[in-house]
Amino acid sequence: MKPIYSKAQLGYMKAKTQFEKQAVILEKKLEDTRKTQEISQEVMEGLVQSTGFHDAYNNLVLAENDLIEWSHTTMKHEKTYRENRLPIDDMYLRLNSDPQMRAQIIELAMKIR
């Protein structure tokens, strides 16, 4: 049976896939450019913009934020949340200052059904 995903989960999966595609394109462009010139900050910024990597990154961050918000709202209806409210809310408070916590919350949010 195929899993059913929420709109936030589907949006995150789509944004992540697009980001990964753009990362491959950027890496290829970097390799090609490196053969003919030094990669300065200006050159790198131009490549990031021209390959669509910047937009893909921004879309991924927005999709992550939507997923995180959705998971926190969805979780509030669960018995486990009510029993462990303070530690769970603490996790969500730390997500912007702790990249590992953010990644962990995203991973857990993708497991919600």
Side-chain angles (χ1 to χ4, degrees):
M1 185 173 198
K2 192 174 180 181
I4 299 172
Y5 294 105
S6 71
K7 183 179 177 182
Q9 289 170 318
L10 290 171
Y12 170 73
M13 290 188 306
K14 181 180 176 185
K16 184 178 178 187
T17 300
Q18 186 62 37
F19 175 78
E20 290 168 347
K21 283 182 187 177
Q22 297 311 121
V24 169
I25 292 169
L26 175 62
E27 190 61 39
K28 176 80 172 101
K29 205 74 152 152
L30 272 171
E31 287 176 25
D32 293 346
T33 304
R34 195 172 280 127
K35 293 175 186 175
T36 60
Q37 65 183 9
E38 182 180 328
I39 304 295
S40 65
Q41 182 175 344
E42 283 181 23
V43 170
M44 184 64 162
E45 288 173 1
L47 291 174
V48 166
Q49 288 292 339
S50 69
T51 59
F53 182 80
H54 181 72
D55 292 334
Y57 173 78
N58 287 339
N59 290 338
L60 178 61
V61 170
L62 292 174
E64 286 176 350
N65 291 341
D66 287 346
L67 178 65
I68 290 166
E69 183 179 328
W70 168 83
S71 70
H72 200 194
T73 302
T74 301
M75 193 179 302
K76 288 181 180 179
H77 304 291
E78 298 295 322
K79 181 181 177 189
T80 307
Y81 173 80
R82 291 189 297 269
E83 293 170 353
N84 299 295
R85 184 180 181 140
L86 290 176
I88 292 172
D89 284 345
D90 184 53
M91 283 175 52
Y92 280 90
L93 286 174
R94 293 187 0 229
L95 70 90
N96 290 322
S97 61
D98 184 350
Q100 291 175 334
M101 184 60 67
R102 183 179 179 88
Q104 187 177 9
I105 290 172
I106 290 169
E107 184 179 322
L108 291 171
M110 287 305 295
K111 293 180 182 178
I112 296 173
R113 297 281 175 254

